[in-house]
Amino acid sequence: MLDYILNKCLQEDIISDDEIIYLLNQREKGKVEKIFSVARKIREKYFGSKIFLYGFVYFSTYCKNDCNFCFYRKSNSISVRYRKKIDEIVETARQLKEDGIHLIDLTMGEDKYFIDHPEYLVEMVKAVKAATDLPVMISFGVITKELVDMMADAGADWYALYQETHNKELFKKLRKDQSYDERMEIKKYAKSKGILIEEGLLTGVGNKVEDTAHSFEVMKSLGASQIRTMTFVPQEGAPTKEQNETGYLSELLNIAVMRILFPNVLIPASLDVDGLRGLEERLMAGANVVTSIIPPHKGFAGVANSETDIEEGYRTIEGIQETLKKCGLKQADVEDYKAWVNSRKEMGNIKIENINYRCKTTGIRSRLSS
């Protein structure tokens, strides 16, 4: 059964919902490695051995939300709070560019101060673009349509806004007092304005493989150009305690199946889950982006692991080179990344059905609702 499904994948045939779930359910080491091997072959076909690198600039740790899984939830009194000034942000972005980064990810909690002062965010994006000439991702949480328009005019290339799950009941448990639909609709609006979308999925929070398969359907319908999956890391001061009993295996299988279903999109291997030590596994599962690269000694934090490997300098371009080499991969040129981004933007008006996705979109939603 496994060989039959994987041969279909290598031949670029569509696989069914049940076949997707079958792949996600695998736990035997030999079978899992077969899935990873096919994912790597597909990555090589579409991206060669090139890996893209993202600099992470978490400029505000204040947030108005009280998400049950997040260290920076507003009611967590032990979280370290800071807001960085534009000159600090630009200096850090410039250093990341000099190091060889391909994209600057400007991230904050849903900080009401900045949402109420959008001119500051506009100035920040423009200043970073001017100083680096690199693509910029905005990770500001749910913003207004007016601010989306301002971000598009300022030159923002990406909007990252994760649902974490597309099971609406689980969403309510994770994102307390937040609207699932509002979160989805603002992403769709940003995409309509020519901004590329990143969608994200959290594992180890009570989600089932059927939920994951449904998430893949939603990612397809959204037309996301970058999709990610991360394992939940229990946070001090946050209520959510569940964690996957198999460690990161669900995340790794998600990466591999994402690569099989979405061969020509970007899939990150995040340093934010367990630092440098987990990078090799994620790359070998089919990821083609390394995210959450943070320069040391600048006072910038991570999210899931706010401190891991940052001050030691392991979450740097230099720090990951040995792992890239071990995996037979290499850092892409910045022009390679810019070309990919521009080509993806040009696809913005193409119908979803004409983009090379290999998953069917029938059955999962009805089975979940029943």
Side-chain angles (χ1 to χ4, degrees), residues 29-44 48-51 248-249 251-260 267-270 276-290 320 322-330:
K29 185 176 180 180
K31 292 182 178 180
V32 168
E33 181 47 47
K34 280 187 176 183
I35 298 171
F36 293 168
S37 177
V38 168
R40 292 194 297 271
K41 289 176 182 177
I42 292 171
R43 178 185 62 195
E44 183 176 5
S49 60
K50 295 178 180 179
I51 296 294
Y248 305 118
L249 182 55
E251 177 188 342
L252 298 176
L253 280 166
N254 286 356
I255 289 173
V257 176
M258 283 175 172
R259 175 57 64 208
I260 289 168
I267 302 175
S270 178
L276 182 63
R277 66 182 176 272
L279 179 58
E280 180 181 347
E281 291 178 306
R282 290 167 173 83
L283 291 174
M284 294 300 283
N288 67 328
V289 177
V290 179
I320 68 172
E322 184 177 341
T323 302
L324 292 183
K325 185 177 180 181
K326 187 176 180 181
C327 295
L329 301 167
K330 62 183 180 181

Side-chain angles (χ1 to χ4, degrees), residues 20 42-43 46-47 212-227 254-267 286 288 340 344 352 355-361:
I20 292 169
I42 292 171
R43 178 185 62 195
Y46 283 85
F47 295 95
T212 301
H214 173 53
S215 288
F216 295 159
E217 291 181 3
V218 177
M219 289 171 172
K220 175 183 175 180
S221 67
L222 183 62
S225 294
Q226 181 163 292
I227 54 178
N254 286 356
I255 289 173
V257 176
M258 283 175 172
R259 175 57 64 208
I260 289 168
L261 298 179
F262 306 90
N264 57 350
V265 306
L266 303 184
I267 302 175
N288 67 328
W340 191 94
R344 196 71 182 191
I352 294 298
I355 300 177
N356 191 4
Y357 296 158
R358 296 202 185 108
C359 55
K360 288 171 62 179
T361 56

Side-chain angles (χ1 to χ4, degrees), residues 43 51 68 72 81 91 104 110 117 121 154 205 208 267 304 307 312 336 349:
R43 178 185 62 195
I51 296 294
N68 284 324
Y72 297 102
R81 309 290 180 177
E91 178 192 353
I104 305 296
E110 282 191 32
H117 297 84
L121 296 173
V205 287
K208 301 176 181 179
I267 302 175
E307 299 178 353
E312 297 87 345
D336 293 330
N349 295 322

Side-chain angles (χ1 to χ4, degrees), residues 223-256:
S225 294
Q226 181 163 292
I227 54 178
R228 76 158 65 204
T229 178
M230 293 173 64
T231 302
F232 169 66
V233 178
Q235 301 292 322
E236 189 176 0
T240 301
K241 300 296 182 184
E242 289 193 64
Q243 194 175 27
N244 199 319
E245 293 179 359
T246 55
Y248 305 118
L249 182 55
S250 290
E251 177 188 342
L252 298 176
L253 280 166
N254 286 356
I255 289 173

